[in-house]
Amino acid sequence: MCGIAGQIDNGTFTADERRAVLSRMCGVIEHRGPDDEGFYIDGGAALGMRRLAIIDLNTGHQPISNEDGTVWIVFNGEIYNYRELRAEMISLGHSFRTLSDTEVIVHLYEQYGESCVTRLRGMFAFAIWDRRKRSLFAARDRVGIKPFHYAQTPAAFIFGSEIKSVLQHPAVDRSVDPQAVSDFLSFGYVPDPKTAFAGINKLEPGHTLTLKDSVISIRRYWDFNYDQSSQVRRSEREYVERLRELLSESVRLRLLSDVPLGAFLSGGVDSSTVVAMMAREMGQPVKTFSIGFKESSFDELGQARIVARHLNTDHHEFVVTPNVCELVREIVWHHDEPFADVSSVPTYIVSKMASEHVTVVLSGDGGDEVFGGYDRYLVDIARRKYERIPAAVRRNVFARAGRMLPRGAYGKNFLSNIALDSPDRYIDSLSYFNQPKKQDLLSADFKSLVEGYDAEDRFKDLFMQPNMADSLDRMMYLDSKTYLAGDILTKVDRMSMAHSLEARVPLLDHQLIEFAQTIPAELKVRGRVQKHIFKEVARGMIPDAIIERPKQGFDVPIKNWLNNELRVMFDEVIGDPRTRQRGYFDQEAVGKFIAEHRRERRNNARHLWGLLVFELWHRAFIDRKPEARFEGAKALPLGRLAASSKTVASGSSIPSVHVG
């Protein structure tokens, strides 16, 4: 696992300038790779990396080349089938100098060219400089576990694992993309391929990029596919058995490591099943990590303890009462973009806790997108019945009634939502600020900047892709193409790498996904039961109480924090004259959101959190350069974030109260 960076210029820079820029680009992402640094410079090509040593600790230094030095690579990720690929390459006459998975990609590229990416099983983002062709070839893994950002300027093509790395290049401008701001307000993150910065892009998951003679070519090599028209229907038992085989294989592959390894354990069915599979494969107790909160409605430590006891894990847990004011700035700095998913807070904390014991963790992320686990799927399925009412009636009755209700009134959003057709109804339900709220929030000047642009258009296009007969498949496809990469995997990557911790996601193995997509929708959501087929896979491995319990997301008591620990900071930041004068938002509308929340008329905590992180991002990345986390910042010691903590030894009795 590493952070990568580089540039391909047209002769604008000297060798010393290239090295100095590359040093800055790598230095700002040292947290991604504290163990090693390496550069390769060949005329206008400059590749750099920061390494977190996981496999082949002694000889895996990057950049790595082929035998004659004509192909060079910097690589971030893990290739889980690299041993088989290495043996194949050796049989074809290739010579290896290391035991690393990185070198395998070099020889695959030599052998198969750009199609080499289809042979890889794992998570990855890499860049290959081909000296003979004077071209750059880059790729990102199928689902977007690892990031790749790039910018093309008249002076150079620049790339990096994180945006803050790209921003170190003197040719890159730090200006805001107004459309990306609109996207952020709609969805709480900036969906691929945009970033919040004009001129900086993300390479989308499942895509490759080739740069030749300053011309960029982007190609898709993989996509989610829910077309079941040619699939042979199996029995439920056959689906369960095959899924269990694929999951077992996926977990086993992700246990490959030369450093200590553990797992995040939330007490939900996904992470519990992953830990159960790990326990079957490992010859020692799995190290598991959980966090909880004082507020019982947000706390899952009890469920995590049940699983830890059942699987005899080496369990570590914290009850968190963070000094949120300091933590928010740290999290914003690591995200690089405005990012409103408040679950970044517990993800940051559990990653820090785990990093004090292990270097690699497995997580249960991806199960909801692959197997149909979100509550909003049930909500949308229930609201399909309103589609039987003619659209004109829904618009004239439900929509009008919704508009007539006063701002903040309960039922207003429901009436507006059921008046919509699919896909508008589903996209409205997952929106952060829906269209009416966003229109209220934006200033007149900013509206003029995004006139004619609709952040929802791309989502509608994805939802309406052909060859999907069931609306559940459409919802999962949309979420897999947007929310999974843009929110879930971004959060896990940034918060884990903030602590030099590698996170692996066995539920997102592409072979497992490809099989899961052949399973009929009615076996994923059966009645009111989400992830039915996956729960059948888990049955017998984890306690039934975990399988049957209602879903609880990885959440935090943000409403309470905004009313208490964060209140002073929030008022100072949002009320600051420079915040009010930026011109993005109508200040009267902002005041109404705050007043509704403070008067308990409506819980606007997530909207207020989004406004707070947007302003903190603007201060950290637009007002000044992000060379340091923030003024006076130091990495917060774990003790500052925890009310109490305890390590529960393997096999010991786990108490049913908060650990102290």
Side-chain angles (χ1 to χ4, degrees), residues 387 394 415-422 424-426 428:
E387 293 182 8
R394 282 185 276 120
L415 289 169
S416 299
N417 183 256
I418 63 173
L420 300 171
D421 295 323
S422 178
D424 301 82
R425 183 182 64 248
Y426 181 65
D428 176 74

Side-chain angles (χ1 to χ4, degrees), residues 145-195:
I145 303 169
K146 293 288 102 182
F148 188 94
H149 306 89
Y150 67 93
Q152 188 172 33
T153 74
F157 174 89
I158 304 105
F159 69 88
S161 291
E162 296 187 12
I163 296 172
K164 65 174 66 69
S165 181
V166 176
L167 289 173
Q168 301 308 305
H169 199 285
V172 177
D173 182 40
R174 290 181 297 119
S175 57
V176 179
D177 180 349
Q179 292 185 359
V181 174
S182 179
D183 290 344
F184 165 72
L185 293 173
S186 289
F187 305 114
Y189 61 95
V190 181
D192 299 1
K194 289 194 190 78
T195 74

Side-chain angles (χ1 to χ4, degrees), residues 347-356 499 501 635-638 641:
T347 306
Y348 177 95
I349 298 169
V350 75
S351 296
K352 183 165 183 60
M353 175 173 61
S355 71
E356 297 183 357
H499 305 292
L501 179 74
L636 297 178
L638 194 56
L641 307 177

Side-chain angles (χ1 to χ4, degrees), residues 140 143-144 188-192 202 205 337 339 479-491:
R140 190 176 177 199
V143 297
Y189 61 95
V190 181
D192 299 1
K202 301 166 187 148
E337 298 184 275
F339 189 85
D479 284 343
S480 297
K481 294 286 287 184
T482 57
Y483 183 68
L484 178 62
D487 187 303
I488 299 298
L489 295 176
T490 295
K491 172 189 65 181

Side-chain angles (χ1 to χ4, degrees), residues 430-642:
L430 58 81
S431 295
Y432 201 75
F433 286 91
N434 63 18
Q435 287 285 22
K437 289 180 179 177
K438 188 165 77 169
Q439 289 304 306
D440 286 345
L441 178 66
L442 292 176
S443 70
D445 288 343
F446 189 79
K447 286 178 185 177
S448 68
L449 293 177
V450 293
E451 185 176 1
Y453 174 74
D454 188 344
E456 296 182 357
D457 282 348
R458 181 168 179 265
F459 279 51
K460 293 174 187 177
D461 289 343
L462 290 170
F463 188 93
M464 296 307 296
Q465 286 292 305
N467 303 322
M468 284 182 280
D470 194 280
S471 63
L472 176 64
D473 289 338
R474 293 186 181 279
M475 291 186 283
M476 291 192 296
Y477 179 79
L478 173 62
D479 284 343
S480 297
K481 294 286 287 184
T482 57
Y483 183 68
L484 178 62
D487 187 303
I488 299 298
L489 295 176
T490 295
K491 172 189 65 181
V492 174
D493 175 79
R494 305 306 190 276
M495 297 299 95
S496 60
M497 293 308 296
H499 305 292
S500 305
L501 179 74
E502 176 176 299
R504 300 176 177 177
V505 280
L507 297 184
L508 294 178
D509 181 272
H510 79 273
Q511 293 188 15
L512 187 151
I513 292 172
E514 289 170 353
F515 179 75
Q517 289 170 157
T518 69
I519 301 174
E522 63 266 23
L523 291 180
K524 295 171 183 173
V525 175
R526 173 172 285 182
R528 299 293 297 174
V529 178
Q530 300 144 285
K531 292 191 291 195
H532 164 76
I533 195 74
F534 187 78
K535 290 177 179 177
E536 292 306 303
V537 171
R539 204 170 296 279
M541 290 192 290
I542 62 176
D544 285 348
I546 300 300
I547 295 174
E548 305 300 336
R549 65 183 286 256
K551 179 179 175 59
Q552 180 174 339
F554 201 22
D555 213 346
V556 301
I558 188 62
K559 178 182 177 181
N560 296 342
W561 289 357
L562 281 168
N563 288 337
N564 297 288
E565 293 95 336
L566 272 174
R567 181 161 183 158
V568 172
M569 176 191 181
F570 178 87
D571 288 346
E572 289 178 349
V573 171
I574 300 301
D576 190 314
R578 61 173 162 163
T579 304
R580 298 173 61 85
Q581 294 168 10
R582 291 205 190 277
Y584 295 103
F585 309 128
D586 180 277
Q587 292 306 307
E588 182 179 350
V590 172
K592 288 179 180 178
F593 276 109
I594 297 171
E596 286 175 356
H597 184 77
R598 297 273 167 86
R599 294 171 187 167
E600 298 287 337
R601 289 183 58 194
R602 195 159 191 89
N603 182 3
N604 288 331
R606 294 182 182 279
H607 297 103
L608 300 183
W609 172 264
L611 295 176
L612 175 63
V613 297
F614 180 82
E615 174 58 26
L616 293 177
W617 165 79
H618 208 287
R619 294 182 181 190
F621 286 88
I622 304 300
D623 293 353
R624 63 185 188 82
K625 294 183 179 180
E627 278 79 6
R629 285 177 167 82
F630 49 88
E631 295 169 5
K634 293 181 179 179
L636 297 178
L638 194 56
R640 290 280 300 281
L641 307 177

Side-chain angles (χ1 to χ4, degrees), residues 200-212:
I200 302 179
N201 297 295
K202 301 166 187 148
L203 181 61
E204 292 186 76
H207 284 69
T208 63
L209 179 153
T210 303
L211 178 76
K212 173 71 173 175

